[in-house]
Amino acid sequence: MTKVSMLNLSEAGEVEIRPGKMGANGGTNSQGESFGFTNYYMTRNHEPFIPVVGEFHFSRFSYLGWEEELLKMKAGGVNIVATYIFWNFHEEEEGVFDWSGSRNLRHFIDLCAKLEYPLILRIGPFCHGEVRNGGIPDWVFAKPIEIRSNDPAYLKLARRLYRQIASQMRGSLYQEGGPVVAIQLENEFMHCGAPNDAWGYKTGKFISSGTGGNAHLAELRRIAEESGILPLFFTATAWGGAAVPEEGFLPMLAGYAYTPWIPNQPPSREFIYRDLHAIPAEPVNYDTRDYPVAYCEMAGGMQVSYNARPLVPANSVEAMALVKLASGSNLIGYYMYHGGSNPVGKKGYLNEQFLPKITYDYQSPLGEFGRIGESYDRIRTLSMFLESFGTALAPMTTILPDGQSDLEATDTDSLRWCVRHKDGAGFVFLNNFQDHVDMPDRPFRIELETSRGSVAFPAEGEAILPANMGVVLPFHLDLHGVSLISATAQPLTQVQANGEHVIFFYAHAGLTPEYVVAKSALSQLETEAGQVGEFDDHYVIHPVVGKNNGVAFRTADGKRVRFLMLSREEALQTYRFDLWGQQTVVISDCPVIAQQGQLVCTSPGSSALSVSLFPAPATELRTNTGQPVPFETAGLFQDYKFELASYTPQLTITKPSDKTALLQFAGDWPAHVEDVWLEIDYDGDVAEAFLDGTLLTDHIHYGKTWSIGLKNFYTKLEQATLHLRITPLRKGTVHTFVNQAQVERFEGVEIAVFHRIEAIPHYRVSLAPAARR
């Protein structure tokens, strides 16, 4: 028999909301929009706000694609961008600054301004970010100075760097009408350094973690402000006992579960619920009750190194975000959200030792060439939830059932859950994922006592939480006059259209969805499918899952409200945009973005596309070539299905040896093919791709397909051969002899073989109302 999990919230305390240490920070832009702080959450336009921050390093991606990638991030629910400015990318040679091409910070800032995208700049001087020397140029180490300190000679270099950055960002501060809301000075200061690749004689030599504590950060702040860098607030990476100034700096945390720096890593505690506002996950140098809990580095993946090759499952990215939100985090920042490629320096490669020379894909939601990963869809569902319900969630207090924060990471028997609530309403968070542990499907029944009455999940009997899954379940929410007592489905988003408020939920596989709705204030309930049980003061509704089914309510004061229950598959295909003068929910079987009044669809490998829109556009849609798009109306949605002309890339492959492949492309791509990707499955140790003798990208084998987007090299493909090369994986024994020279003899088997090399077309079409063309 399933154990009933119980929690009494009727007498549970709530967090005291006050200005805190950040209350004096914030500001208003020229449009009257504002950001501010309490001790518990940020505010946007004076309303509680839970930002979703995505890390995207502009200098690790071609500037030709920045706008599209930023729009992908927007479509994914990211509402603040963060980026590093790596000193050695811009001043590799002393006194010679390069702000051109993909190092053009100003162009990136201007694109964020154009897209109305708030921006956090992480300006160093030390950044880490897995670049050479953590971003400190090699020439700095030739000088008799103490880096990361108040050594006057070091501060002089920092001042010159900051003045250069200030000249690039002139007029771009939020209060000036620009996008820059915050600045991070330094990184992990007084906590850790980075490999000293300028040393060059022996591995294991590290740059100093810094000296001077808050006094050094105060000097960097003074220099920044004197240079004209005056953001709404500064941020500081606060984990590991790092230095955190008391005033004007928002402490930021990190969470990683697949960590190359921990050999033979045991299961982490990142998926255990706790009250982070009251008790931090690790010792920190500030009072957590004075600041919102904010994560700037929550693992969006992990970079593969030669010595450590973790494979990060998409489930873990979603589960960590859910657990941190439940535990009181009111800012969710993904590192990385978007991967990229290291630029090649004038004097060599700029990667950190043991990491790939070029690729910084990071297994992130958006990858090195704009690859859309499985985690992109998963965490978008949480971002959409925060967009619609974050204002309600932000002031809610975390309440832990007894023993939750003390669970062992290896515990596979206990139900992991907690509650965030305020005034008797809130959300139950359940998690059934744990890194490095196989979790079972878990029966559960949860009963809550609240100041608004009793709540049970489910209303009767028990439910099943599937393995490796998490879920957010609402209780006692007022949804535009409909009193939702509870639901065993996750809120996703909401729009107002056609005189109705439409709230979208979605059902997890194995978890039977239901709504429990109070009769009070309702004058009518209608459903074309599903079951409705009527009780003295409430209804229990078991809806049919699918976008064409819904439950319609009319409140006593005449409001029309509709609940729609999507499947998990449909939810993972759902986006919300402001399109053609209205909020629009899009369900698409291919990735989509909204760009300049168009819905842009990109379909990897399939020339057949399907898009559903609610509400329907006021006029017919046409493609970018002027063709009308046929549609069918089903339920609330208008369904568009169309097929583009199929294209097969002309590719010739020769293999001089098992470890080498030469690829020759012929023919132009048709206009509706946006890109061609190579997908390469191989066995080996490390692989590299060269075009015309230049290293394009590399790949340390970790069990996943190697993918290369080719559009940035399109003009060279017909004139040059693309060379793929594998360094063999050795299984055996290596004998090393050092006499006058180093001699290596290997006994065993070398493995280097290509299993599949395939060119995949990515089709592209944009849709817009006919009247707008």
Side-chain angles (χ1 to χ4, degrees):
M1 184 175 180
T2 300
K3 177 183 176 181
V4 178
S5 300
M6 305 180 69
L7 189 60
N8 189 341
L9 300 176
S10 59
E11 297 179 357
E14 297 184 3
V15 71
E16 178 191 3
I17 306 297
R18 49 189 171 79
K21 294 293 186 181
M22 297 296 294
N25 296 89
T28 303
N29 68 10
S30 54
Q31 287 77 46
E33 300 163 330
S34 67
F35 287 103
F37 287 93
T38 72
N39 67 318
Y40 202 61
Y41 52 78
M42 282 185 71
T43 63
R44 181 175 59 182
N45 300 331
H46 310 291
E47 293 287 334
F49 172 51
I50 301 181
V52 178
V53 181
E55 189 88 12
F56 176 33
H57 298 157
F58 68 96
S59 53
R60 280 173 154 158
F61 204 89
S62 169
Y63 71 96
L64 298 173
W66 286 346
E67 181 167 355
E68 181 169 354
E69 300 311 305
L70 288 168
L71 288 171
K72 283 183 188 176
M73 293 175 68
K74 266 202 165 186
V78 172
N79 45 39
I80 298 179
V81 182
T83 193
Y84 272 132
I85 301 171
F86 296 113
W87 185 4
N88 58 353
F89 284 13
H90 300 282
E91 195 187 6
E92 188 180 359
E93 297 177 323
E94 184 176 5
V96 181
F97 281 89
D98 184 356
W99 300 102
S100 65
S102 296
R103 293 172 169 89
N104 191 334
L105 171 61
R106 182 69 205 199
H107 180 37
F108 187 76
I109 291 173
D110 286 345
L111 281 175
C112 289
K114 172 185 173 181
L115 301 176
E116 299 180 336
Y117 224 155
L119 177 62
I120 298 172
L121 296 178
R122 305 172 82 178
I123 67 174
F126 175 84
C127 293
H128 199 186
E130 291 73 63
V131 304
R132 183 176 176 86
N133 307 323
I136 305 290
D138 280 26
W139 55 263
V140 173
F141 296 92
K143 296 182 178 295
I145 63 176
E146 185 70 27
I147 66 167
R148 307 182 78 185
S149 79
N150 279 345
D151 181 335
Y154 179 69
L155 294 178
K156 183 178 179 180
L157 295 177
R159 181 179 299 108
R160 187 176 68 186
L161 172 65
Y162 283 6
R163 286 176 176 174
Q164 281 279 329
I165 293 171
S167 69
Q168 294 294 312
M169 56 180 289
R170 187 171 291 117
S172 67
L173 296 171
Y174 185 78
Q175 60 271 32
E176 298 172 317
V180 178
V181 294
I183 296 290
Q184 178 183 304
L185 304 175
E186 249 280 348
N187 187 51
E188 300 180 317
F189 182 62
M190 302 289 290
H191 166 53
C192 74
N196 188 339
D197 293 311
W199 168 258
Y201 301 105
K202 175 181 170 56
T203 60
K205 297 293 184 180
F206 281 78
I207 290 168
S208 166
S209 63
T211 59
N214 288 347
H216 178 55
L217 292 178
E219 276 299 295
L220 291 181
R221 177 177 181 172
R222 181 184 64 79
I223 292 168
E225 291 179 339
E226 285 181 352
S227 302
I229 302 174
L230 296 152
L232 300 186
F233 60 99
F234 291 91
T235 71
T237 48
W239 56 88
V244 179
E246 189 171 349
E247 299 290 344
F249 283 75
L250 177 65
M252 306 285 262
L253 301 173
Y256 293 100
Y258 296 83
T259 51
W261 52 87
I262 301 179
N264 303 313
Q265 183 188 334
S268 75
R269 294 188 59 78
E270 298 294 347
F271 301 97
I272 303 295
Y273 291 114
R274 63 190 85 207
D275 183 355
L276 292 167
H277 192 67
I279 303 174
E282 58 178 303
V284 294
N285 288 324
Y286 62 96
D287 186 342
T288 56
R289 295 178 186 272
D290 285 335
Y291 303 88
V293 179
Y295 273 79
C296 68
E297 289 196 18
M298 210 171 52
M302 179 52 65
Q303 180 67 333
V304 176
S305 70
Y306 189 81
N307 297 322
R309 310 184 184 196
L311 176 58
V312 181
N315 309 60
S316 73
V317 183
E318 179 183 18
M320 189 180 292
L322 184 147
V323 169
K324 300 309 181 191
L325 280 171
S327 299
S329 179
N330 275 335
L331 183 152
I332 297 294
Y334 296 102
Y335 188 102
M336 295 288 294
Y337 190 87
H338 199 309
S341 308
N342 291 321
V344 178
K346 297 176 182 178
K347 299 179 180 296
Y349 296 108
L350 294 169
N351 61 297
E352 183 178 290
Q353 61 186 249
F354 304 130
L355 270 68
K357 295 182 181 73
I358 302 293
T359 183
Y360 195 67
D361 179 80
Y362 213 85
Q363 305 176 58
S364 49
L366 297 174
E368 180 181 11
F369 298 102
R371 168 195 55 77
I372 293 179
E374 186 181 349
S375 60
Y376 176 78
D377 294 329
R378 290 170 179 264
I379 60 177
R380 187 177 65 252
T381 63
L382 285 172
S383 298
M384 294 175 68
F385 163 70
L386 292 177
E387 181 182 38
S388 287
F389 301 97
T391 297
L393 177 64
M396 291 181 175
T397 304
T398 294
I399 303 294
L400 297 173
D402 288 342
Q404 280 294 314
S405 61
D406 298 322
L407 291 178
E408 295 295 329
T410 54
D411 186 339
T412 60
D413 297 322
S414 302
L415 180 68
R416 300 184 186 192
W417 69 290
C418 80
V419 173
R420 284 188 69 170
H421 89 112
K422 180 176 174 58
D423 299 330
F427 300 91
V428 173
F429 293 80
L430 298 98
N431 170 48
N432 199 19
F433 176 89
Q434 173 65 53
D435 64 281
H436 302 90
V437 173
D438 292 327
M439 302 294 278
D441 289 350
R442 191 175 309 286
F444 73 90
R445 177 174 177 78
I446 291 174
E447 296 180 358
L448 304 178
E449 288 296 329
T450 81
S451 58
R452 300 188 188 187
S454 301
V455 179
F457 302 89
E460 299 289 341
E462 66 179 28
I464 302 294
L465 180 63
N468 300 316
M469 190 59 65
V471 64
V472 183
L473 305 179
F475 63 93
H476 287 312
L477 293 189
D478 181 355
L479 298 175
H480 308 287
V482 176
S483 178
L484 178 65
I485 297 172
S486 66
T488 55
Q490 187 157 323
L492 179 63
T493 189
Q494 56 182 320
V495 295
Q496 185 174 359
N498 303 329
E500 287 187 325
H501 294 279
V502 182
I503 297 98
F504 293 80
F505 298 80
Y506 71 95
H508 288 266
L511 183 56
T512 302
E514 71 175 15
Y515 310 117
V516 179
V517 177
K519 284 184 175 179
S520 60
L522 287 184
S523 64
Q524 190 176 354
L525 182 158
E526 293 181 352
T527 180
E528 296 179 358
Q531 299 177 338
V532 179
E534 186 172 356
F535 298 86
D536 289 342
D537 59 356
H538 65 274
Y539 299 103
V540 177
I541 305 164
H542 291 99
V544 172
V545 176
K547 66 182 179 66
N548 294 328
N549 302 292
V551 181
F553 304 94
R554 187 176 290 274
T555 65
D557 59 0
K559 292 180 184 175
R560 293 165 53 201
V561 181
R562 186 181 299 269
F563 291 178
L564 204 64
M565 183 68 67
L566 303 179
S567 66
R568 164 83 165 169
E569 181 182 9
E570 288 171 331
L572 293 176
Q573 297 177 342
T574 299
Y575 303 75
R576 195 183 88 164
F577 300 113
D578 288 330
L579 271 175
W580 313 313
Q582 58 191 13
Q583 292 180 341
T584 302
V585 172
V586 179
I587 301 178
S588 172
D589 64 1
C590 65
V592 294
I593 61 173
Q595 185 174 30
Q596 296 178 346
Q598 301 177 91
L599 183 67
V600 181
C601 312
T602 304
S603 178
S606 175
S607 58
L609 297 85
S610 176
V611 175
S612 299
L613 305 178
F614 171 77
T619 62
E620 71 171 357
L621 295 185
R622 292 182 178 268
T623 69
N624 50 295
T625 59
Q627 300 300 311
V629 184
F631 64 88
E632 295 179 356
T633 300
L636 292 182
F637 281 85
Q638 200 150 280
D639 298 336
Y640 298 83
K641 294 184 179 181
F642 46 98
E643 187 154 356
L644 305 174
S646 182
Y647 169 70
T648 301
Q650 299 175 45
L651 174 62
T652 302
I653 303 173
T654 57
K655 296 179 181 176
S657 68
D658 287 344
K659 60 185 180 183
T660 300
L662 303 177
L663 282 60
Q664 185 67 55
F665 290 82
D668 294 332
W669 303 348
H672 64 283
V673 173
E674 185 258 351
D675 200 353
V676 171
W677 283 62
L678 282 180
E679 292 188 356
I680 305 153
D681 292 321
Y682 71 97
D683 282 330
D685 192 15
V686 174
E688 298 170 305
F690 298 88
L691 185 63
D692 204 17
T694 299
L695 180 63
L696 298 185
T697 188
D698 47 352
H699 185 264
I700 294 175
H701 194 284
Y702 67 103
K704 295 287 283 185
T705 295
W706 181 23
S707 299
I708 306 173
L710 297 176
K711 69 179 178 183
N712 289 340
F713 322 112
Y714 174 71
T715 57
K716 297 181 180 180
L717 287 176
E718 278 193 294
Q719 289 77 38
T721 297
L722 185 63
H723 171 202
L724 307 179
R725 182 179 70 188
I726 303 172
T727 300
L729 177 66
R730 288 176 165 181
K731 291 191 174 181
T733 303
V734 176
H735 301 278
T736 302
F737 307 90
V738 178
N739 192 357
Q740 292 179 334
Q742 180 165 305
V743 178
E744 182 180 280
R745 294 196 177 98
F746 171 68
E747 296 176 358
V749 177
E750 289 191 334
I751 301 170
V753 59
F754 291 100
H755 296 296
R756 178 176 70 100
I757 301 174
E758 187 176 0
I760 307 294
H762 284 216
Y763 300 91
R764 182 186 184 94
V765 65
S766 58
L767 311 178
R772 292 179 177 266
R773 292 195 178 277

